[in-house]
Amino acid sequence: MSAQIRGLLGFAMRSGKVCVGASKALEQVERQKAALVLLDEGAAPNTRDKLIHRCQGAQVPCRVLPEGLLGQAIGRPNTVAVALLHGDIARKLTQELP
């Protein structure tokens, strides 16, 4: 993950545009407030499948990041999922992430 992506995630976290945790991410997807969902590669298979399926249904981009990097980027170790709310940061991250 590039330093720019980590910086954007950190900025999003500080600006309150990130909902941390699988259940909160799922809630934001269902409410149509999520612009992007990021999953940690180490997330439980059931969690990953549920979020990916719901994101596909809601047409919300979902990206899987290497294990541990998501928590490191937002300053909360062991984080397995986050939802980024609509805005410029989410758009930029959607473009930057493969």
Side-chain angles (χ1 to χ4, degrees):
M1 178 188 297
S2 74
Q4 180 181 11
I5 293 172
R6 287 182 195 195
L8 284 169
L9 279 171
F11 182 68
M13 186 71 182
R14 290 187 301 277
S15 66
K17 295 290 187 178
V18 177
C19 292
V20 179
S23 61
K24 288 188 179 184
L26 195 56
E27 181 181 318
Q28 296 307 313
V29 169
E30 290 172 353
R31 289 182 171 182
Q32 299 179 354
K33 294 190 182 267
L36 173 66
V37 171
L38 300 175
L39 289 169
D40 188 272
E41 194 172 50
N46 188 38
T47 301
R48 286 179 63 176
D49 292 345
K50 185 185 289 186
L51 273 168
I52 290 171
H53 177 72
R54 295 269 175 86
C55 285
Q56 288 173 343
Q59 297 180 346
V60 174
C62 184
R63 305 287 190 268
V64 178
L65 301 178
E67 191 167 350
L69 288 178
L70 180 58
Q72 181 185 21
I74 66 168
R76 291 195 179 178
N78 303 319
T79 298
V80 296
V82 299
L84 280 90
L85 304 179
H86 291 281
D88 292 336
I89 299 170
R91 274 192 293 279
K92 181 70 172 169
L93 279 168
T94 302
Q95 293 170 354
E96 295 292 324
L97 290 169

